[in-house]
Amino acid sequence: MFFFISSLLVVIFAFLTPVSLSFPVVAIVGAIIGIYRIRKKPKTTLLKMAAFIFVLGLMAAILNMVYYGLPIIGDVDMIGQP
């Protein structure tokens, strides 16, 4: 049950990217730790669902980070230009 709730938190953090760019970093780290810890447990249906949600949260965090982060990085190059 702990892994299922934490996988949902990873998805929530992944979609909070417009608020701050630190949220997807937390989601990526949480997903990697969660997937690593699930691998060491005996497989149940709930753990398989949690692992799937962790992977979805990881993909959403990476995509949101690219979508919202790249324009910000591109604007940094324009500092000082007329």
Side-chain angles (χ1 to χ4, degrees):
M1 190 66 172
F2 168 75
F3 289 112
F4 187 74
I5 293 171
S6 59
S7 67
L8 293 177
L9 283 174
V10 164
V11 171
I12 290 170
F13 272 82
F15 286 113
L16 286 176
T17 305
V19 177
S20 172
L21 279 177
S22 62
F23 284 121
V25 175
V26 172
I28 290 169
V29 170
I32 291 171
I33 291 172
I35 292 168
Y36 176 74
R37 290 187 61 194
I38 283 178
R39 280 187 10 189
K40 296 187 172 196
K41 302 274 183 194
K43 300 294 181 257
T44 63
T45 304
L46 193 61
L47 280 179
K48 287 179 184 178
M49 285 181 7
F52 181 71
I53 295 172
F54 270 129
V55 171
L56 289 180
L58 181 66
M59 290 189 317
I62 292 171
L63 288 174
N64 280 336
M65 196 170 180
V66 168
Y67 182 76
Y68 289 105
L70 286 180
I72 293 171
I73 293 170
D75 289 342
V76 171
D77 293 339
M78 301 174 112
I79 294 175
Q81 294 179 359

